[in-house]
C-alpha cells in the first residue's frame, strides 16, 4: 500500500446522488486498497451508479453478480487467485450495501467468514433499501420512517432495533472486525489498512449517510455522520479475533451530545415526539454504558 | 454515446464514467477563496465525486463533475468555500 | 494414445473422474442427494494429491454457483455438481454465469423437484433451467457421463461458445449404479483439452475490467442476441468436438443418436437412462415385426432442430417420452419438437407421454404400451390427447 493516494480508483462521472456518503466511502477505501485490488459488489445503489454500460467508474477489476452473493463471488475470486498463483500482493474486497449484508446476503457472508477467505468485506450502511426507493431493512434504526415502515397514526415508523451486524460477524471469530464512519476518514482508512493487512477474513461496517433516503441536506452528509458518533448512535470500535468483550473504542467522544441533535437534522425522524426521542435516548445511553462511552452532556 | 458491445458485457474501459459530466446536475456552485484556504484538504477527502484537485497552496474544482452537493463548503474549517447559485 | 483404463464405477464417480481429467482449478460445491459423491470424490482427489485444485465447501448451492462465477471470471477452470432443489436454488446464478459468458461445467444428478419431496430420477430440475443459457447434455449411462464431462469443458470454453454446460446423469439409476467405464489416459485428455486461457476478459489488476455491468435498454437486447448467437454457434462446435473425441477415444456422440429408425413408422424419442430400456423394448418389438425405432436426445440445449427433422420426418408417428411436465402445457421436449415441425409439410404425428417422474420405473412394458398408443394415433390420423401420463399407479389414484 505504497501507491500515490491522489490516484482516484473510483472515477468521477458516477451517478450517485449529490452528497452520497457511499461515494466518499468507496473513494477513500480504494485509496487505501490501491490498484492491486479486485472488488466484488452486490446489486444496489453502488452497482447502478457505477457500472452503467458502456461506462464504469471502476479503475480496478470489479465483478457484480447478484444481490445476495458479493461474499460468495469474492470467495471464488480469492480461491482462484490462489490456485492460479496470482494472490500474492493482491487484495480482494467484497462490498455490500446494508440490504445485501444484513438481510439477503447474510448467509453468504457468514459462509465467507467461516471459511476463512483472505477477503475484506465492507458493508456500506445507509440504513434502508435506497436503490429501490427507501424500503426498510434490518439495518433501519428504530423510529425511522421509510416507504415500507412509514410513520402514521398507528406507527412510529420502523419498530425494530437495528441488527448488530458487526458483532454478529465478529462472533465468527474472524481476525479483524471494525465499525467506521465516513466523517472520520483517518479512522476509516486506518481500519481499511488493518483489515487488508490482516490475513484471513475481516469485516468493516461503514456508516454512510444518504441524503435522499434520510432526507437531509446534501451538504449535511458528513455532519450527520459525525453526529452519529458524537451522540453515541453509532460507536466506532474494532475487535481482534472476534473478541468483542475486549473491543476497543477508537473514537471516544469527549462529551456525548443528545440524540436529538442527530435525529432533528433528518426528516426520516421528523415525526418523532419528545417521548419517542426520550425512549431512543434511553436506549442509546444504555448502549453507550456498555461501550464505556462518557455520559451525556 | 454509442459503442460496440463486448462479450458478456465485460467492460475494459476502466474509469470511463469520466465521459459523463455530472457537473450538469449542479444548481449551486462552490467558489473557494484561496486567500483563506489553509490546504487542509478536508474538502478533497470528503468529496463523493473526486471533483476537487489538490494544487499548491489550495484546491481547484473540476466543475465537469462537481454535483454541487455543498459538503466541501459545510466541512471547510475556515469557511473558505461558499456555494453560489449556478448561472445557466 | 495411452490405454483407456477399464473401471467399474458409479455415475457420480464417472462424472468426477471426467472432471478430474480436465484439471479444474476450483471446485465450489454443496452436497445434495444424489450428487454428493461428486464433491466427496473431488475432495478425495485433492486430499490424495491426485488433483491440484481447491474445493470451496460453500454454504448453499446459490453460493456454489456464485463462487463458480467469481472463480471463472478470475480465469480459473471451474466445475461443480448439484441436483434438484440445489439447481433450483442456484437458478438465478445460472443465467448470470451464461450472461457473463463463463464456461463453468456442472454435473447434475437429475432428480425430482419438491413438493412432495422426492430424491429419485426425474428431469424437471435441469429442464426448469432450460432458458438459463447453459448448454445441456443428458447421459444414457456412466460412460456417457464421463465422456460428456470432458466434451463439456472443451465445448463450453471454445471461443465461439463461452457458455456454461450442464451434464445430466439420472439420479440413482446412474449416479449410484456401478457400470463398466473406459477412462481415457490423462495425457490424451490434456492433448484434447488445452488449458483455459480466456481472451474476452479476466479479473486481473494488470488489465482492469468490470464484469456484471448494468445494461440499459439500448444495449440489453444486443447482449442477449449475442449470447443466443453463441448458443446457435455451439451447434457446429458440438459436432466438431464430438467428432474429434470419437477419433481420439473411439466413442462417437451425436446430438441425437438413433436405433432402428430407417424404416420405422413409430419412433420413440427419449432422454437419459430410460433409453437403455427403450432400446431393449424396440429390439423386442422389431423381433415381433413392428416397425419401430428409437431416437435419443443427448443434447437438449441447443435444441437440435435440424437433426430431429432429418431423423423423425419420415416416421408416421413420434412418441415423445419425458420425465418432466410443464403444468398447463406439455413436456418441454414435446412443445419444442412441435415447434420444430410446425412449418414442415412432411411431418409425423406427435404424441407426448409423461412417465418416469420421481423415480417411477420405465419398463419394457411401458414402451410397448407407448408404441401401441402411438399406432392408434397413426390409425386415427389425429392426436386427440396431446399429453398422456403412462405407468400410473391406478391403485393409489383418488
Amino acid at each position: 500500500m505504497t501507491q500515490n493516494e491522489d490516484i482516484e480508483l473510483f472515477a468521477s462521472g458516477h451517478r450517485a446522488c449529490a452528497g452520497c456518503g457511499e461515494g466518499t466511502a468507496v473513494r477513500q477505501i480504494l485509496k487505501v486498497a490501491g490498484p492491486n485490488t479486485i472488488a466484488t459488489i452486490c446489486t444496489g445503489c453502488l452497482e447502478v451508479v457505477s457500472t452503467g454500460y458502456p461506462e464504469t467508474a471502476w479503475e480496478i477489476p470489479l465483478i457484480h453478480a447478484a444481490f445476495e452473493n458479493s461474499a460468495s463471488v469474492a470467495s471464488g475470486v480469492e480461491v482462484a487467485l490462489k490456485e492460479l498463483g496470482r494472490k500474492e500482493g493482491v487484495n480482494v474486497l467484497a462490498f455490500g450495501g446494508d440490504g445485501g449484508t444484513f438481510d439477503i446476503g447474510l448467509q453468504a457472508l457468514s459462509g465467507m467468514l467461516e471459511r476463512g477467505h483472505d477477503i475484506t468485506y465492507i458493508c456500506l450502511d445507509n440504513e434502508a433499501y435506497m436503490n429501490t426507493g427507501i424500503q426498510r431493512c434490518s439495518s433501519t434504526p428504530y423510529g425511522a420512517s421509510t416507504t415500507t415502515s412509514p410513520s402514521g397514526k398507528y406507527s412510529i415508523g420502523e419498530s425494530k432495533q437495528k441488527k448488530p451486524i458487526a458483532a454478529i460477524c465478529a462472533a465468527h471469530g474472524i481476525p479483524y472486525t471494525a465499525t467506521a464512519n465516513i466523517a472520520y476518514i483517518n479512522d476509516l482508512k486506518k481500519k481499511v489498512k488493518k483489515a487488508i493487512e490482516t490475513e484471513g477474513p475481516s469485516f468493516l461496517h461503514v456508516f454512510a449517510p444518504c441524503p435522499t433516503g434520510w432526507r437531509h441536506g446534501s451538504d449535511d452528509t458528513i455532519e450527520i455522520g459525525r453526529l452519529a458518533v458524537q451522540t453515541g448512535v453509532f460507536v466506532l470500535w474494532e475487535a481482534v479475533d472476534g473478541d468483542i468483550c475486549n473491543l476497543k473504542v477508537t473514537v471516544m467522544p469527549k462529551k456525548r451530545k443528545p440524540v436529538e441533535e442527530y435525529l432533528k437534522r433528518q426528516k426520516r425522524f421528523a415525526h418523532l415526539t419528545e417521548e419517542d426521542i426520550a425512549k431512543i435516548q434511553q436506549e442509546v445511553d444504555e448502549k453507550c454504558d456498555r461501550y464505556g462511552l462518557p455520559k451525556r452532556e | 454515446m454509442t459503442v460496440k458491445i463486448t462479450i458478456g458485457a465485460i467492460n475494459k474501459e476502466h474509469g470511463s464514467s469520466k465521459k459523463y459530466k455530472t457537473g450538469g446536475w449542479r444548481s449551486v456552485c462552490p467558489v473557494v477563496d484561496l486567500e483563506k484556504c489553509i490546504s487542509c484538504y478536508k474538502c478533497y477527502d470528503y468529496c463523493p465525486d473526486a471533483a476537487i484537485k489538490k494544487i499548491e497552496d489550495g484546491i481547484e474544482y473540476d466543475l465537469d463533475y462537481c454535483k454541487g452537493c455543498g459538503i466541501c463548503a459545510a466541512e471547510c474549517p475556515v469557511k473558505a468555500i461558499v456555494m453560489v447559485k449556478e448561472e445557466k | 494414445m495411452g490405454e483407456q483404463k477399464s473401471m467399474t464405477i458409479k455415475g457420480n464417480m464417472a462424472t468426477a473422474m471426467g472432471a478430474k481429467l480436465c484439471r479444474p482449478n476450483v471446485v465450489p460445491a454443496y452436497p445434495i442427494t444424489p450428487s454428493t459423491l461428486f464433491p466427496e470424490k473431488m475432495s478425495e482427489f485433492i486430499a490424495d494429491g491426485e488433483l491440484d485444485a481447491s474445493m470451496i465447501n460453500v454454504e448453499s448451492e446459490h453460493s456454489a454457483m456464485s463462487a463458480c462465477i467469481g472463480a471463472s471470471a478470475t480465469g480459473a477452470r471451474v466445475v461443480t455438481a448439484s441436483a434438484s432443489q440445489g439447481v433450483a436454488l442456484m437458478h438465478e446464478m445460472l443465467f448470470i454465469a451464461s450472461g457473463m459468458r463463463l464456461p463453468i461445467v456442472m454435473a447434475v444428478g437429475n432428480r425430482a423437484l419438491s413438493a412432495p419431496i422426492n430424491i429419485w430420477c426425474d428431469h424437471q430440475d435441469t429442464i426448469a433451467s432450460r432458458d438459463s443459457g447453459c448448454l445441456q447434455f443428458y447421459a444414457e449411462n456412466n460412460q456417457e457421463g464421463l465422456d460428456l464431462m470432458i466434451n463439456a469443458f472443451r465445448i463450453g470454453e471454445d471461443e465461439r461458445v463461452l457458455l456454461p454446460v450442464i451434464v445430466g446423469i439420472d439420479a440413482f439409476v446412474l449416479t449410484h449404479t456401478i457400470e463398466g467405464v473406459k477412462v481415457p489416459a490423462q495425457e490424451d485428455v490434456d492433448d484434447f483439452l488445452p488449458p483455459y486461457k480466456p481472451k474476452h476478459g479476466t479479473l486481473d489488476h494488470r488489465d482492469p475490467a468490470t464484469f456484471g455491468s448494468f445494461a440499459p435498454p439500448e444495449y440489453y437486447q444486443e447482449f442477449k442476441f449475442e449470447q443466443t448467437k453463441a448458443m446457435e454457434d455451439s451447434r457446429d462446435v458440438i459436432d466438431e468436438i464430438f467428432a474429434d473425441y470419437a477419433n481420439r477415444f473411439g466413442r462417437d456422440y451425436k446430438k441425437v443418436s438413433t436405433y432402428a429408425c430407417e424404416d420405422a413408422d413409430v419412433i420413440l424419442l427419449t432422454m437419459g437412462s430410460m433409453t437403455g430400456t427403450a432400446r431393449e423394448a424396440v429390439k423386442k418389438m422389431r423381433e415381433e415385426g413392428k416397425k419401430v425405432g428409437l431416437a435419443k436426445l443427448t443434447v437438449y440445449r441447443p435444441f437440435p432442430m435440424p437433426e430431429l427433422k432429418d431423423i423423425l420426418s419420415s416416421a408416421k408417428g413420434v412418441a415423445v417420452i419425458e420425465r418432466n411436465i410443464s403444468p398447463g402445457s406439455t413436456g418441454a421436449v414435446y412443445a419444442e419438437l412441435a415447434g420444430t415441425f410446425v412449418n414442415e409439410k412432411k411431418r409425423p404425428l406427435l404424441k407426448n407421454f409423461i412417465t418416469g417422474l420421481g423415480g417411477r420405473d420405465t419398463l419394457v412394458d411401458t414402451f410397448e404400451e407407448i408404441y401401441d398408443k402411438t399406432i392408434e394415433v397413426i390409425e386415427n390420423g389425429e392426436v386427440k390427447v396431446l399429453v398422456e401420463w403412462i405407468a400410473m399407479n391406478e391403485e393409489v389414484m383418488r
Side-chain angles (χ1 to χ4, degrees), chain A residues 19-21 23-25 27-28 181-186 188 221-223 226, chain B residues 40-52 69 71-72 74-77:
Chain A
C20 172
T24 303
R27 253 190 87 214
Q28 292 295 344
N181 183 314
I182 57 162
Y184 295 85
I185 282 185
N186 289 338
L188 165 69
T221 301
I222 303 301
E223 179 62 12
R226 189 179 293 120
Chain B
C40 68
Y41 302 124
K42 284 198 187 317
C43 54
Y44 167 87
D45 275 348
Y46 287 130
C47 179
D49 296 292
I52 297 173
C69 69
I71 287 176
C72 51
E75 291 302 314
C76 178

Side-chain angles (χ1 to χ4, degrees), chain A residues 69-183:
Chain A
N69 59 357
S70 189
S72 31
V73 174
S75 302
V77 171
E78 185 252 9
V79 173
L81 286 174
K82 284 183 171 163
E83 269 304 315
L84 299 170
R86 289 172 23 213
K87 177 68 182 72
E88 192 62 35
V90 175
N91 310 312
V92 180
L93 302 186
F95 287 98
D98 44 295
T101 304
F102 286 62
D103 282 353
I104 198 168
L106 185 60
Q107 174 181 320
L109 172 59
S110 176
M112 183 210 103
L113 298 175
E114 172 272 325
R115 290 189 299 270
H117 297 281
D118 188 17
I119 297 169
T120 297
Y121 189 100
I122 298 165
C123 172
L124 302 170
D125 182 8
N126 57 24
E127 302 198 319
Y129 293 105
M130 295 313 184
N131 185 48
T132 44
I134 321 166
Q135 294 83 20
R136 65 82 62 185
C137 75
S138 63
S139 169
T140 305
Y142 177 82
S145 185
T146 74
T147 53
T148 52
S149 66
S151 59
K153 194 172 171 188
Y154 300 104
S155 166
I156 188 171
E158 174 57 34
S159 60
K160 269 80 79 186
Q161 298 292 338
K162 189 180 176 84
K163 191 188 275 185
I165 191 69
I168 291 167
C169 290
H172 289 70
I174 55 172
Y176 186 72
T177 310
T179 64
N181 183 314
I182 57 162

Side-chain angles (χ1 to χ4, degrees), chain C residues 275-331:
Chain C
T275 309
T277 315
R279 198 179 288 106
E280 290 309 309
V282 168
K283 263 186 214 170
K284 182 173 175 238
M285 289 188 277
R286 277 280 173 182
E287 280 162 17
E288 293 162 7
K290 293 170 181 162
K291 288 170 81 175
V292 55
L294 172 67
K296 171 179 74 174
L297 201 55
T298 297
V299 175
Y300 170 64
R301 276 292 178 276
F303 193 68
M305 296 160 196
E307 291 82 356
L308 286 165
K309 267 189 214 170
D310 277 357
I311 292 162
L312 303 177
S313 57
S314 57
K316 291 177 182 157
V318 173
V320 184
I321 309 163
E322 303 195 62
R323 293 193 117 121
N324 77 85
I325 179 68
S326 176
S329 182
T330 65

Side-chain angles (χ1 to χ4, degrees), chain C residues 109-183:
Chain C
N110 284 115
R111 167 189 149 184
L113 283 177
S114 301
I117 191 167
N118 171 292
I119 59 170
W120 290 277
C121 176
D122 187 308
H123 292 159
Q124 197 76 54
D125 50 2
T126 44
I127 291 291
S129 298
R130 67 176 185 172
D131 300 332
S132 64
C134 302
L135 280 71
Q136 291 199 5
F137 303 161
Y138 291 79
E140 180 188 333
N141 52 44
N142 294 353
Q143 181 71 62
E144 291 196 1
L146 182 143
D147 290 334
L148 289 172
M149 285 298 281
I150 299 170
N151 280 279
F153 283 99
R154 171 94 182 268
I155 293 164
E157 291 173 7
D158 190 286
E159 279 181 33
R160 295 164 287 178
V161 181
L162 292 170
L163 291 170
V165 187
I166 292 170
V167 175
I169 60 170
D170 284 350
F172 294 98
V173 182
L174 299 182
T175 58
H176 287 62
T177 302
I178 290 172
E179 292 181 346
V181 166
K182 294 232 184 286
V183 182

